[in-house]
Amino acid sequence: GGVPVWLRKRLRALCNSGATKRPHFESSWYGPINGVSYTVFTVKDGFIIKPQAKFRDKVSPPSSVIPGRSNSVSSNTSNMSTSSYNVEARPRTEPGPEADILEPDFVICIAGSSLTGDKIVYIIEIKRGDEDAFKASEQITHYVKRAVSTGAMISTGIVGLLVLGSETFRI
Amino acid sequence: IQCFLDRKEEIMKVMPV
């Protein structure tokens, strides 16, 4: 499927590296997995791959907004920040760090010229094979749930991939 | 890789051009 032989071999080598030759860092997987992702989900076909993508939490407009007063609503909501998945998030003008940002290793999206219209196709989290599988599965499930809550997906839904060393789990 | 290829095919069918 267009994935070069050397890259297939490299992935195979990573999978077969075992406990002793296993890469020290999960980042050793990033390049090869990014390579495979971009080979299949090409820019030409309308996809984009986001490394360390951010899933921001949905927030309601400021509490100072009084329901029923449309002028007040519009002036306050215009200050809200909109994510690339069209989620109303905390405005940048609010002081302090934004709470609860999730950051999966990669997100594969259907993109477009709009800054707020990305649709999530895959969420990929990569861990070394010796890491806690249960914790990792909880983490990716949390990411998928947050992604689903954005509604930014096509009818075929969102798939989470947990790469745990030589094994990949589909969520 | 096969998973990716299958899903891409599926997406290209429903994706607006």
Side-chain angles (χ1 to χ4, degrees), chain B residues 2 4-5 8 10-14 16-17:
Chain B
Q2 196 54 51
F4 271 13
L5 292 169
K8 188 189 175 184
E10 179 190 67
I11 288 165
M12 297 305 276
K13 277 184 208 153
V14 298
V17 182

Side-chain angles (χ1 to χ4, degrees), chain A residues 37 40 45 121-122 157 161, chain B residues 3-4 7-8 10-11 14-15:
Chain A
S37 303
V40 177
D45 288 330
V121 174
Y122 274 113
L161 290 180
Chain B
C3 255
F4 271 13
R7 183 142 163 85
K8 188 189 175 184
E10 179 190 67
I11 288 165
V14 298
M15 207 169 130

Side-chain angles (χ1 to χ4, degrees), chain A residues 106-171:
Chain A
F106 294 102
V107 172
I108 302 178
C109 292
I110 298 169
S113 54
S114 159
L115 296 181
T116 56
D118 292 348
K119 305 284 180 227
I120 302 159
V121 174
Y122 274 113
I123 299 164
I124 305 173
E125 184 60 27
I126 299 165
K127 300 280 181 205
R128 290 186 332 208
D130 58 345
E131 286 186 73
D132 187 326
F134 181 72
K135 267 175 76 175
S137 70
E138 279 190 325
Q139 190 181 350
I140 184 99
T141 304
H142 189 43
Y143 291 169
V144 172
K145 280 183 179 165
R146 171 73 60 88
V148 168
S149 80
T150 67
M153 67 193 99
I154 55 168
S155 58
T156 56
I158 294 171
V159 176
L161 290 180
L162 172 61
V163 178
L164 202 58
S166 60
E167 287 184 288
T168 299
F169 301 90
R170 197 173 183 278
I171 287 121

